[in-house]
């Protein structure tokens, strides 16, 4: 079923100092990132064998640089592979060699040539006539409009780029908004993919990029333009502490037993965990080369993956989630409705069974590569076997 | 006279513009303009102190740990909270991991490309490269394979992030073999910085932006297994700093000795101090609190900090202490004689202060902190040998000194971190299970005065009825990238740029070196 990779492609790789073996290894790591088995490396190889690298521009707007930092924390494929072998990132302020005029020339040359994709990090800054962000002596939004309008696709990375993020937090003093809403307001029709969380998880970025390189189109998106494969299930659906939630075993901050409760991996719901209403794959993909994630380290999820890109501002995760360490009065739990936390332990028993079978997560990209079989439904337990949750 | 604007300044955190006036190949005047206002201080008003911990760290994605800790300490000071000893140790380890991460990333990823000519590495002789690495006492790699990969990459014609770099610039001085060694370590450093960040992820959930150092202590609980995971990673990072980063610094420095002659800056230094010992006394921190004029020490008083706004785009009170500070954005126009920056101009007792590793290392050196003294004296000895004359400690007040100080500090912190991990292991074995205490009051005012890798950091917090009534932040880049104050006195980076030689005003590489030396 695997297509033969063209011979001349390997010559091309050889000219770049990459051996056939290195390349297949690379494809295997890419496969792992988008949730495929390494067996599918040949398909990936043939899809990437286009010869020239996809040009990309990474724009820095109202940012803290955390999303770039997050990209530097990826395991496979590593950063040099992404920026040297997968893409030609002609502009990326935080890591590029050029500065000033030379840096600006890189944007102009890429835009003139066309066929590039854009990655935006940071909020769209519209306050004070757009002057709350000045780049090259002009309002930053000028650059955003110009570069995005001629791009093939835009990837908004991190909650700030998606809907303004914390910068749009009430009273939104710098009038921050998100890329999708801003481009729509300005009549720019370039397709936008949204990848919220603060910062973005680097593995999600790579999966979207690779998907784009493979099929030349963006992955299937939900109503918020988020990839369905990444933003369909709640954190609560896949949380290793879920068993304790169902048993009504909660960590209580400030209580004498707090340390013992945390050591036992009790549920963080009573500390305000936003896992039940936040849809990301944090418990499965985890963070920092998969060593841990928020809940595993003892912190409730603060819902940094919550976003409202259509409105671009008012739905930001900070206003949606604060006060972070308080339980929301009306947390909607699947199948329970607004249950008061004190009674939750008793009530959830009845719905536990429904929560156990999690809708089969078949990476959406899988169905889109020819010859790759779909996976059947997975059970909650089997999916969590390998993750080292706190409830060992 | 040539007027040169560098905008955007790349390889930094955030948005910066620098304008310089160049005459006969030397910078005569300079202006530094911060290009971004987001309004964090305003967003935090009316929220809970614990919320500020999670939100305020998002000021900076490279040093979120320091902002998170300064925020939490500000709230704790306001609410009279004394954290348990375990929380102190946990925070030191997380903070230390961020410093190591940041210093490694800065040297190899952010500033190395100002000194290392990547294209020149193509002409390195491989056997000579191994010989040079051995002589310099630095680690080796598969130099042949790396050179081949680089050659293929350059031949492919799509240079990606290296497009339009300053390759072949006359101010690039390293031999091809040393360039190749540096390129190999540029790649390796990417792995090392990620390994340091994994320590934060284990103890704080993720990096950047961590989750556990909430006001009152930490929500993370240690176990022997988790500490073993931390120890293993610390060892890898620590080995790299000792056996690669320090030898690389000492191998590269002799080719840039002229950098000891400029980039001096304002000559006043401030450190709030970082890494508490059991006494929780800021003067006994591993990098202690202190200030210097020249090399004469004095006690920095937080109430003597004020911020000027004559040259910044704000319409609020001028010359205010941050405890009573105001932030009201008001863009007018970019005018170097009037307002030209989103950065305010903080001053200590009216004077501009340089902050950062050079400030911390000099404060500690003058204070007689033993490991700092030993390292600095050792480095001065090595540089004196290369220069052929004895170099006094004042030579560190320069571009060369600012770069070296950061790398030497990485070694001081890596060593101290081994001690904290040991303390934590002892605490677990001894059965100390206290990690968190609750606040008993809901009103008060306080400041978290701490350090980010790039310098002194203060979060001033005013809590009323359990909610934030006022919040003001003075970041390291506010100090270093400050515009002129109301008296027209330049900020530290502006002052450091004056006197810098510029070989080619269309490619102002040397000015970039000065800017990057502050790690803004
Ligand atoms: S810790 Fe949060 S996500 Fe996990 S089970 Fe409890 S409430 Fe759900
Ligand atoms: S677990 Fe929650 S707070 Fe943590 S990164 Fe994921 S969405 Fe953000």
């Amino acid at each position: 079923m695997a297509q033969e990779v063209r011979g001349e492609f390997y010559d091309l790789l050889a000219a770049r100092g990459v051996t056939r073996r290195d390349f297949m290894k690379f494809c295997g790591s890419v496969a792992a990132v988008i949730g495929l088995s390494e067996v599918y490396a040949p398909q990936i190889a043939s899809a990437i064998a286009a010869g020239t690298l996809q040009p990309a521009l990474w724009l820095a707007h109202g940012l803290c640089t955390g999303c770039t930092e997050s990209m530097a924390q990826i395991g496979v494929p590593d950063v040099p592979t992404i920026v040297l072998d997968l893409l030609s990132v002609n502009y990326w302020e935080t890591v590029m060699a050029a500065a000033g005029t030379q840096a600006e020339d890189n944007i102009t040359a890429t835009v003139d040539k066309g066929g590039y994709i854009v990655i935006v990090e940071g909020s769209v800054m519209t306050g004070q006539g757009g002057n709350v962000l000045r780049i090259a002596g002009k309002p930053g939004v000028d650059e955003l409009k110009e570069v995005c309008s001629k791009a093939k696709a835009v990837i908004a990375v991190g909650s700030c780029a998606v809907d303004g993020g914390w910068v749009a937090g009430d009273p939104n003093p710098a009038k921050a908004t998100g890329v999708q809403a801003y481009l729509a307001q300005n009549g720019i029709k370039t397709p936008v993919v949204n990848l919220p969380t603060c910062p973005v998880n680097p593995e999600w970025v790579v999966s979207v990029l690779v998907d784009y390189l493979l099929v030349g189109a963006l992955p299937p998106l939900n109503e918020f333009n988020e990839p369905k494969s990444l933003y369909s299930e709640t954190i609560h659906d896949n949380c290793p502490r879920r068993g304790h939630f169902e048993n009504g075993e909660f960590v209580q901050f400030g209580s004498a037993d707090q340390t013992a409760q945390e050591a036992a991996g009790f549920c963080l719901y009573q500390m305000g965990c936003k896992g039940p209403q936040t849809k990301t794959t944090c418990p499965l993909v985890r963070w920092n080369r998969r060593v841990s994630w928020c809940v595993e380290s003892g912190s409730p999820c603060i819902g940094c993956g919550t976003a409202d890109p259509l409105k671009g501002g008012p739905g930001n995760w900070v206003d949606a989630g604060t006060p972070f360490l308080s339980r929301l009065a009306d947390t909607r739990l699947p199948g329970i409705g607004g249950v008061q936390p004190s009674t939750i332990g008793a009530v959830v028993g009845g719905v536990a069974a429904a929560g156990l079978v999690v809708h089969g997560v078949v990476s959406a990209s899988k169905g889109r590569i020819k010859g790759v079989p779909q996976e059947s439904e997975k059970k909650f337990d089997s999916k969590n076997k390998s993750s080292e949750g706190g409830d060992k | 006279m040539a007027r040169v604007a560098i905008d955007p300044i790349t390889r930094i955190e955030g948005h910066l513009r620098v304008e310089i006036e160049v005459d006969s190949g030397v910078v005569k005047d300079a202006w530094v303009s911060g290009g971004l206002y987001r309004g964090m201080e305003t967003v935090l008003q009316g929220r809970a102190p614990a919320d500020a911990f999670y939100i305020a760290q998002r000021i900076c994605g490279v040093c979120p740990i320091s902002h998170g800790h300064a925020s939490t300490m500000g709230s704790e000071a306001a609410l009279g909270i004394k954290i348990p000893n375990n929380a102190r140790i946990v925070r030191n380890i997380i903070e230390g991991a961020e410093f190591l991460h940041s210093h490694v990333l800065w040297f190899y990823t952010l500033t190395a490309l100002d000194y290392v000519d990547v294209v020149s590495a193509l002409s390195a002789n491989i056997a000579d490269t191994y010989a040079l690495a051995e002589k310099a006492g630095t680690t080796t790699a598969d130099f042949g394979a790396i050179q081949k990969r680089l050659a293929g990459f350059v031949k492919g014609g799509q240079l990606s992030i290296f497009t339009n770099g300053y390759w072949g610039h006359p101010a690039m001085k390293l031999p091809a073999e040393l360039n190749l060694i540096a390129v190999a370590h540029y790649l390796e450093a990417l792995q090392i910085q990620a390994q340091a960040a994994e320590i934060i992820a284990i103890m704080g959930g993720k990096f950047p932006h961590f989750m556990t150092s909430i006001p009152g202590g930490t929500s993370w609980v240690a176990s022997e297994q988790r500490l073993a995971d931390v120890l293993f990673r610390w060892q890898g990072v620590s080995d790299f700093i000792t056996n690669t980063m320090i030898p690389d610094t000492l191998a590269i420095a002799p080719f840039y000795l002229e950098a000891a002659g400029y980039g001096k800056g304002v000559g006043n230094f401030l450190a709030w101090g970082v890494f508490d010992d059991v006494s929780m006394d800021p003067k006994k921190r591993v990098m202690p609190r202190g200030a210097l004029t020249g090399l004469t020490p004095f006690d920095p008083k937080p109430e003597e900090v004020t911020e000027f706004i004559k040259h910044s785009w704000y319409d609020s009170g001028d010359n205010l202490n941050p405890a009573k500070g105001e932030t009201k954005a008001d863009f007018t126009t970019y005018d170097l004689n009037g307002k030209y920056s989103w950065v305010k101009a903080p001053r200590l007792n009216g004077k501009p202060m340089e902050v950062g590793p050079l400030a911390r290392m000099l404060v500690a050196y003058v204070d007689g902190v033993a490991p700092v003294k030993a390292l600095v004296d050792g480095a001065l000895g090595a540089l004196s040998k290369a220069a052929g004359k004895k170099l006094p400690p004042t030579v560190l007040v320069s571009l060369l000194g600012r770069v070296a100080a950061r790398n030497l500090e990485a070694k001081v912190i890596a060593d101290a971190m081994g001690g904290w991990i040991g303390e934590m292991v002892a605490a677990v074995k001894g059965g100390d299970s206290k990690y968190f205490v609750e606040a008993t009051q809901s009103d008060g005012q306080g400041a978290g005065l701490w350090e980010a890798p790039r310098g002194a950091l203060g979060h001033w917090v005013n809590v009323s009825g359990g909610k934030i009534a006022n919040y003001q932040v003075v970041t390291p880049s506010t100090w270093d990238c400050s515009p002129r104050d109301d008296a027209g006195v330049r900020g530290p980076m502006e002052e450091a740029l004056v006197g810098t030689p510029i070989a080619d005003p269309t490619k102002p590489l040397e000015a970039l070196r000065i800017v990057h030396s502050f790690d803004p």
Side-chain angles (χ1 to χ4, degrees):
Chain A
M1 63 182 176
Q3 262 173 269
E4 254 322 299
V5 176
R6 298 195 309 269
E8 68 266 33
F9 176 63
Y10 282 113
D11 298 342
L12 220 126
L13 284 177
R16 298 176 64 86
V18 180
T19 66
R20 198 181 182 102
R21 209 172 143 262
D22 286 344
F23 184 67
M24 293 314 289
K25 218 170 110 196
F26 160 64
C27 292
S29 65
V30 167
V33 163
I34 58 172
L36 295 174
S37 142
E38 292 206 13
V39 176
Y40 304 110
Q43 274 101 332
I44 294 176
S46 71
I48 296 179
T52 49
L53 302 178
Q54 168 66 49
L57 300 171
W58 182 295
L59 300 184
H61 280 256
L63 83 176
C64 75
T65 318
C67 289
T68 288
E69 260 280 2
S70 192
M71 290 307 295
Q73 310 309 321
I74 197 167
V76 279
D78 64 7
V79 188
T81 303
I82 297 168
V83 302
L84 305 182
D85 299 340
L86 198 56
L87 300 171
S88 182
V89 190
N90 299 338
Y91 189 89
W92 191 347
E93 283 187 20
T94 318
V95 293
M96 68 194 293
T101 323
Q102 283 79 22
E104 288 292 298
D105 289 350
N106 288 3
I107 293 199
T108 319
T110 307
V111 171
D112 287 351
K113 250 183 153 172
Y116 60 93
I117 56 172
V118 177
I119 299 156
V120 183
E121 172 180 7
S123 318
V124 180
M125 305 300 287
T126 73
Q128 310 273 328
N131 285 296
V132 286
L133 169 61
R134 291 173 58 83
I135 303 172
K138 287 180 296 201
V141 282
D142 291 2
E143 173 200 76
L144 189 76
K145 281 186 282 196
E146 158 81 7
V147 173
C148 290
S149 63
K150 295 178 183 147
K152 279 163 73 183
V154 177
I155 306 173
V157 297
S159 299
C160 292
V162 170
D163 71 354
W166 74 259
V167 192
D170 182 69
N172 194 358
K175 296 205 169 29
T177 184
V179 173
Q180 186 185 344
Y182 186 77
L183 293 186
Q185 279 157 24
N186 284 277
I188 296 167
K189 299 205 165 59
T190 313
V192 178
V193 186
N194 290 315
L195 298 177
T197 61
C198 186
V200 74
N201 189 311
E203 298 200 28
W204 302 335
V205 180
V206 171
S207 80
V208 170
L209 287 171
V210 170
D211 208 46
Y212 186 77
L213 296 178
L214 285 179
V215 294
L218 296 171
L221 305 175
N222 66 16
E223 74 269 33
F224 294 123
N225 279 21
E226 299 159 344
K228 281 187 185 159
S229 57
L230 304 173
Y231 295 89
S232 290
E233 293 175 17
T234 67
I235 285 170
H236 190 66
D237 282 339
N238 293 308
C239 182
R241 298 192 186 217
R242 178 63 180 266
H244 294 290
F245 173 86
E246 279 148 12
N247 291 341
E249 293 164 341
F250 300 107
V251 176
Q252 274 145 339
F253 251 39
S255 78
D257 298 333
Q258 182 191 337
T259 300
Q261 290 161 346
E262 170 52 30
F266 280 11
C267 168
L268 298 164
Y269 179 75
Q270 294 203 353
M271 281 173 62
C273 185
K274 306 293 181 281
Q277 70 261 37
T278 307
K279 289 182 174 173
T280 77
T281 57
C282 296
L284 304 175
V285 175
R286 301 148 70 84
W287 288 83
N288 295 82
R289 309 201 273 192
R290 306 194 169 197
V291 298
S292 190
W293 65 292
C294 308
V295 166
E296 180 169 325
S297 73
S299 169
C301 167
I302 56 172
C304 72
T306 304
D308 188 356
L310 306 178
K311 285 205 216 93
N316 72 82
W317 65 274
V318 163
D319 288 335
T322 48
F324 293 125
L325 296 184
S326 300
R327 299 182 298 258
L328 295 185
D330 182 32
T331 295
R332 276 176 297 120
L333 297 168
I336 313 181
V339 175
Q340 289 314 298
S342 54
T343 57
I344 243 168
V347 180
V348 289
V351 292
L356 279 176
V357 183
V358 177
H359 344 290
V361 202
V362 180
S363 166
S365 58
K366 280 179 199 170
R368 307 166 71 228
I369 303 169
K370 263 205 167 128
V372 179
Q374 298 266 336
E375 241 180 293
S376 57
E377 266 193 356
K378 281 184 185 169
K379 292 255 188 279
F380 171 79
D381 281 351
S382 67
K383 249 175 23 183
N384 284 283
K385 235 186 256 160
S386 59
S387 78
E388 323 147 28
D391 57 347
K392 293 186 266 253
Chain B
M1 277 290 187
R3 185 58 80 80
V4 182
I6 318 175
D7 184 4
I9 295 279
T10 52
R11 286 180 275 124
I12 60 164
E13 188 278 307
H15 293 273
L16 205 63
R17 171 191 178 94
V18 166
E19 265 193 68
I20 49 175
E21 199 147 273
V22 183
D23 189 16
S24 323
V26 175
V27 176
K28 287 287 180 296
D29 206 347
W31 298 263
V32 174
S33 165
L36 175 63
Y37 163 79
R38 288 170 298 171
M40 173 62 86
E41 294 154 336
T42 310
V43 170
L44 292 175
Q45 312 273 344
R47 301 188 197 268
D51 291 342
F53 157 71
Y54 291 108
I55 304 168
Q57 55 178 300
R58 273 131 172 122
I59 288 172
C60 175
V62 187
C63 50
I65 309 304
S66 314
H67 281 282
H69 282 155
S71 175
T72 275
M73 290 163 71
S75 293
E76 286 164 351
L79 301 178
I81 299 172
K82 302 248 177 304
I83 59 167
N85 192 43
N86 283 344
R88 170 189 69 85
I89 308 169
V90 169
R91 289 183 189 180
N92 274 357
I93 299 172
I94 297 180
E95 185 77 46
E98 179 202 65
F99 269 67
L100 301 187
H101 157 87
S102 182
H103 285 4
V104 168
L105 188 82
W106 172 80
F107 185 57
Y108 288 99
T109 311
L110 302 184
T111 206
L113 300 178
D114 298 335
Y115 302 89
V116 173
D117 188 330
V118 176
V119 175
S120 142
L122 289 175
S123 46
N125 174 296
I126 298 300
D128 292 352
T129 306
Y130 279 102
L132 180 62
E134 192 170 329
K135 190 166 150 253
T138 191
T139 46
T140 57
D142 190 344
F143 294 126
I146 288 164
Q147 192 185 46
K148 205 169 151 225
R149 186 176 183 194
L150 198 61
F153 173 70
V154 171
K155 207 169 140 209
Q158 285 179 288
L159 287 190
S160 196
I161 58 168
F162 298 124
T163 310
N164 243 343
Y166 303 99
W167 322 127
H169 192 284
M172 292 281 196
K173 302 274 204 252
L174 301 185
E177 286 73 22
L178 195 45
N179 281 318
L180 181 56
I181 293 173
V183 168
H185 294 164
Y186 173 93
L187 295 172
E188 193 184 343
L190 283 167
Q191 295 300 319
I192 297 299
Q193 59 82 22
Q195 200 172 359
E198 284 174 14
I199 295 175
I200 303 168
I202 292 167
M203 302 173 74
K206 63 182 175 49
F207 179 87
H209 306 327
F210 75 130
M211 306 290 288
T212 48
S213 294
I214 47 176
T218 172
S219 63
W220 185 77
V221 167
S223 70
E224 287 188 42
Q225 177 55 47
R226 283 171 164 179
L227 288 172
D229 292 345
V230 167
L231 185 73
F232 162 75
R233 288 171 173 84
W234 164 75
Q235 247 149 10
V237 176
S238 181
D239 282 354
F240 178 84
I241 288 167
T242 307
N243 301 322
T244 305
M245 185 159 153
I246 297 290
D248 282 358
T249 310
L250 295 175
I252 292 171
F255 294 93
Y256 292 104
L257 280 180
E258 81 343 308
Y262 55 88
K264 293 182 175 8
V266 292
N268 310 315
F269 299 96
L270 167 68
W272 294 130
V274 63
F275 306 119
D276 274 310
D277 80 349
V278 72
S279 73
M280 299 297 273
D281 176 354
K283 285 191 180 158
K284 293 196 182 135
R285 289 175 176 169
V286 170
M287 300 307 290
R289 180 168 297 181
L292 302 169
T293 302
L295 290 186
T296 310
F298 67 96
D299 269 350
K301 298 202 178 60
E303 53 288 2
E304 288 176 352
V305 174
T306 58
E307 291 187 296
F308 292 96
I309 57 154
K310 186 176 172 191
H311 294 284
S312 318
W313 291 307
Y314 296 97
D315 175 22
S316 27
D318 195 23
N319 196 15
L320 298 178
N321 181 259
K324 300 212 160 56
E326 299 170 8
T327 305
K328 193 167 167 283
D330 183 28
F331 180 81
T332 43
T333 179
Y334 177 81
D335 173 10
L336 294 182
N337 295 313
K339 292 180 182 280
Y340 63 91
S341 180
W342 282 116
V343 176
K344 294 179 185 173
R347 298 292 184 261
L348 181 70
N349 217 345
K351 292 209 175 55
M353 307 298 289
E354 173 172 345
V355 300
L358 178 58
R360 286 191 296 262
M361 290 293 278
L362 288 176
V363 165
Y365 185 84
V366 170
D367 205 14
V369 174
V372 172
K373 238 184 140 330
L375 261 176
V376 169
D377 287 339
L380 282 174
L383 291 176
S384 299
K385 224 168 124 196
K389 60 173 183 212
K390 192 163 163 28
L391 300 173
T394 45
V395 82
L396 293 174
V397 184
S398 64
L399 169 60
L400 185 77
R402 201 173 291 114
V403 172
R406 186 171 282 103
N407 294 4
L408 295 175
E409 186 190 57
K411 170 81 178 134
V412 176
I413 295 169
D415 291 349
M417 221 167 132
W420 304 324
I421 298 171
E423 275 186 86
M424 199 65 238
V425 171
V428 169
K429 289 202 168 133
D432 183 351
S433 63
K434 194 115 194 86
Y435 289 83
F436 177 82
V437 290
E438 268 192 306
T440 51
Q441 67 193 61
S442 52
D443 297 276
Q445 199 166 353
L449 302 173
W450 195 238
E451 296 278 324
R454 45 207 47 69
L457 167 64
H459 284 228
W460 279 260
V461 187
N462 188 343
V463 185
S464 170
K467 290 192 170 157
I468 288 165
N470 198 22
Y471 203 103
Q472 288 283 312
V473 182
V474 184
T475 69
S477 291
T478 317
W479 287 104
D480 285 340
C481 305
S482 134
R484 283 150 170 77
D485 56 31
D486 289 12
V489 177
R490 294 185 194 100
M493 186 187 287
E494 293 182 335
E495 191 60 38
L497 280 159
V498 175
T500 300
I502 302 285
D504 175 0
T506 66
K507 291 180 178 163
L509 175 63
E510 303 91 328
L512 280 176
R513 288 178 182 164
I514 298 283
V515 172
H516 287 150
S517 72
F518 288 90
D519 188 13

